[in-house]
Amino acid sequence: MIEKPHRTIIEPFKIKMVEPLPSCTHNEREKILKEAGYNLFMVAAKHVTFDFLTDSGTSAMSSAQWGAMMIADESYAGSTSFERFQKTVCDLTGYAHVLPTHQGRAAERLLFGVILKPGMKVPSNNHFDTTRANIEQSGAEAIDLVIDEAKDSTSMHPFKGNIDIAKLDSFCAKYQDIIPCGMLTITNNTGGGQPVSLENIRSAAKVYKKYDIPFILDVCRFAENSYLIKMREEGQEDRSVKDIAKETFSLADGCMMSGKKDGLSNIGGFIALKSDKWVSALRSSLILTEGFPTYGGLAARDLEALAVGLKEVLDESYLSYRIATSNYMATRLNKYDIPTMQPAGGHAVYIDAKAFLSHIPQHQFPGQSLVCEMFLAEGIRACEIGSVMFGKTENETFKPAAMELVRLAFPRRVYTQSHFDYVLEGMAEIAKKKKDLRGMRLAWEPPFLRHFTARFEPM
Ligand SMILES: *Cc1c(COP(=O)(O)O)cnc(C)c1O
């Protein structure tokens, strides 16, 4: 643990392998951005100096993970690596069944493909974008029931990922027969990387049980959520993070995970379930598209990296350093009058672009304007989570997203404290000239998940 929080944040690891940090000139970036249609997803990584686009699949692996990869058993069926992976997941979650997948969305597509029919509904605090897309792809509806405080970016509520239990109860009462599963996303990525309290997970579990609805957790960031429970929830401070994580899993009937987050691996995911009810249908579907159930679209070495990562991520000195970084970034940005979602989330800092660039109306995408400027001026890549991602135009009427956020997601164990300080200096410069930033116009959009490939033009 980092026991002296007033001292410099230190990385609780030594560096054994390095890679060069890319850098481009302002002029080069101007050209690159234009060619990319002002969409940072279309910019080549070799042109990005600080890549905060996502914390997904971007972790630096440990020597223990690389070591485990070397002893992987690449057998098609019954690999020893699968046995190790399965034991790790089953020990951690307490669930009996585990199906590996190549990443989180494959788990979503499999599960929803098996249990959803058109017209059905799936409640959660907030569904992540791929989760929502996979539910909608099955003709069902993804319902967000997060607490009202989550929509207020200044609220200091310690668990803004919580689901509204009263709303959940009446929703389940009304639609019980067409809810094949109920969910909770921990931490709540879409709502700002905010944690869900243990008390809220317990209450949601009770509601789902009352209406006989299977409870499935989206556990991409279960370790960060458990650490934030330890830090913020009364009565949890003396428990180990692992113990809190285990209780979290025990309250649900199963989970889906992208190992690219708290699995500390570059690829991989899984579905784990208490009961065998859906398992054989899932297995058949898995074989059809992902691969045999003992590798599920992964190389055995990926299963090894994931198995080691799932244990390492519960190291409390790692988690304390991890959460200290996002706190530090949020606090410093606020000092430069850059408002961020409060309190800081686990894996990321979310800038409130609507408040920061109040001169740019929502239909001109203030978040997109800010991510473009951050790249142009400083070589930083961030992700818009606002009206580009969630806004819609229906019958020629623009429907904005609830918030216009810009997410700086921090890859795990990748950047050092001096990198973060350098980024903050750049953000301070942007804050000084923010009035010069202009809005954006959509030039082209695909039919769904438009933020990945849409093209823009500056106004
Ligand atoms: C990343 C993520 C997913 C999807 O996982 P992928 O590995 O990117 O397919 C699902 N839910 C949440 C909360 C996520 O953060």
Side-chain angles (χ1 to χ4, degrees):
M1 293 280 272
I2 298 168
E3 288 181 37
K4 298 192 174 104
H6 56 286
R7 299 274 296 270
T8 298
I9 299 168
I10 56 165
E11 294 77 22
F13 48 80
K14 298 187 286 180
I15 297 166
K16 175 158 359 203
M17 202 190 289
V18 295
E19 62 180 304
L21 195 65
S23 81
C24 294
T25 64
H26 191 283
N27 280 349
E28 286 166 344
R29 285 198 290 256
E30 204 155 19
K31 187 166 166 275
I32 291 160
L33 193 59
K34 195 170 176 202
E35 281 170 6
Y38 298 87
N39 184 337
L40 275 296
F41 281 100
M42 298 307 221
V43 169
K46 64 179 180 226
H47 299 136
V48 178
T49 307
F50 300 104
D51 207 343
F52 300 144
L53 186 66
T54 175
D55 63 322
S56 177
T58 51
S59 299
M61 290 206 296
S62 67
S63 47
Q65 284 176 295
W66 284 109
M69 287 173 78
M70 293 302 291
I71 56 161
D73 168 11
E74 301 291 351
S75 305
Y76 191 95
S79 135
T80 314
S81 298
F82 175 72
E83 286 176 11
R84 275 192 284 269
F85 166 76
Q86 184 181 40
K87 182 170 188 322
T88 303
V89 175
C90 294
D91 285 352
L92 172 66
T93 60
Y95 305 151
H97 309 278
V98 53
L99 297 110
T101 59
H102 79 274
Q103 61 183 90
R105 71 198 67 186
E108 291 165 355
R109 196 196 57 75
L110 275 171
L111 183 69
F112 297 142
V114 165
I115 68 172
L116 291 188
K117 288 192 184 72
M120 287 182 162
K121 295 176 194 290
V122 181
S124 188
N125 44 355
N126 279 125
H127 291 278
F128 181 65
D129 58 356
T130 61
T131 321
R132 171 176 303 281
N134 273 296
I135 290 171
E136 289 172 357
Q137 183 68 20
S138 311
E141 204 183 340
I143 308 289
D144 290 341
L145 298 174
V146 73
I147 55 169
D148 288 339
E149 286 88 339
K151 291 159 202 156
D152 171 6
S153 69
T154 61
S155 160
M156 286 302 287
H157 192 295
F159 291 103
K160 287 165 86 172
N162 284 359
I163 195 166
D164 187 319
I165 296 297
K167 278 188 196 159
L168 179 65
D169 192 292
S170 46
F171 184 84
C172 292
K174 192 164 172 195
Y175 297 110
Q176 182 175 15
D177 298 339
I178 51 167
I179 306 175
C181 77
M183 295 185 66
L184 265 186
T185 311
I186 62 170
T187 56
N188 189 20
N189 187 1
T190 307
Q194 300 292 333
V196 180
S197 73
L198 193 54
E199 192 254 341
N200 191 255
I201 302 171
R202 287 180 186 143
S203 305
K206 259 190 214 141
V207 173
Y208 288 136
K209 202 175 213 111
K210 175 172 156 192
Y211 295 100
D212 202 17
I213 295 166
F215 178 17
I216 304 296
L217 287 164
D218 178 338
V219 294
C220 292
R221 297 177 185 79
F222 75 97
E224 290 171 8
N225 199 76
S226 301
Y227 183 77
L228 288 164
I229 286 173
K230 180 181 167 97
M231 291 295 112
R232 297 181 186 173
E233 190 161 342
E234 229 185 292
Q236 302 301 323
E237 58 277 7
D238 295 329
R239 292 177 75 181
S240 71
V241 174
K242 187 175 178 181
D243 193 36
I244 295 169
K246 285 190 155 202
E247 183 182 343
T248 301
F249 286 112
S250 76
L251 291 164
D253 300 296
C255 66
M256 288 189 280
M257 177 163 184
S258 165
K260 301 172 71 173
K261 287 55 175 272
D262 272 354
L264 296 176
S265 69
N266 302 122
I267 197 71
F270 60 86
I271 303 174
L273 296 165
K274 253 182 205 166
S275 118
D276 61 2
K277 188 172 155 203
W278 299 327
V279 172
S280 74
L282 284 170
R283 231 177 240 145
S284 305
S285 181
L286 184 75
I287 291 171
L288 206 58
T289 58
E290 290 280 298
F292 196 70
T294 58
Y295 71 86
L298 295 167
R301 54 182 174 269
D302 302 323
L303 292 171
E304 294 279 3
L306 196 46
V308 176
L310 285 169
K311 289 181 190 151
E312 281 182 357
V313 77
L314 289 166
D315 171 9
E316 296 192 16
S317 59
Y318 158 75
L319 285 165
S320 134
Y321 137 86
R322 171 94 180 139
I323 301 301
T325 298
S326 37
N327 266 323
Y328 177 82
M329 291 300 281
T331 314
R332 293 297 158 116
L333 289 169
N334 299 159
K335 267 199 185 144
Y336 307 138
D337 288 325
I338 302 174
T340 58
M341 181 127 184
Q342 300 294 342
H347 65 292
V349 164
Y350 294 69
I351 296 172
D352 182 348
K354 187 159 75 172
F356 181 58
L357 301 178
S358 53
H359 61 290
I360 301 178
Q362 275 184 278
H363 68 274
Q364 293 179 10
F365 308 113
Q368 194 64 22
S369 170
L370 181 57
V371 296
C372 287
E373 179 61 21
M374 285 164 66
F375 175 70
L376 202 57
E378 304 294 339
I380 302 166
R381 176 153 66 175
C383 182
E384 193 265 11
I385 301 190
S387 290
V388 173
M389 197 182 268
F390 295 118
K392 274 183 199 154
T393 301
E394 280 171 359
N395 307 323
E396 291 176 36
T397 318
F398 174 74
K399 290 192 176 160
M403 292 190 276
E404 302 293 341
L405 300 174
V406 166
R407 182 183 74 177
L408 281 72
F410 306 126
R412 294 167 179 80
R413 310 190 289 205
V414 170
Y415 295 107
T416 65
Q417 183 60 19
S418 65
H419 291 140
F420 286 113
D421 283 330
Y422 186 92
V423 164
L424 286 167
E425 287 164 12
M427 293 304 294
E429 294 297 314
I430 292 173
K432 275 186 218 156
K433 54 181 187 205
K434 67 173 186 178
K435 287 285 175 225
D436 300 342
L437 269 63
R438 291 172 296 157
M440 312 292 291
R441 178 189 309 119
L442 251 179
W444 176 82
E445 63 174 305
F448 46 81
L449 294 177
R450 71 175 177 185
H451 55 284
F452 288 130
T453 53
R455 296 183 75 83
F456 301 87
E457 283 161 1
M459 306 284 282

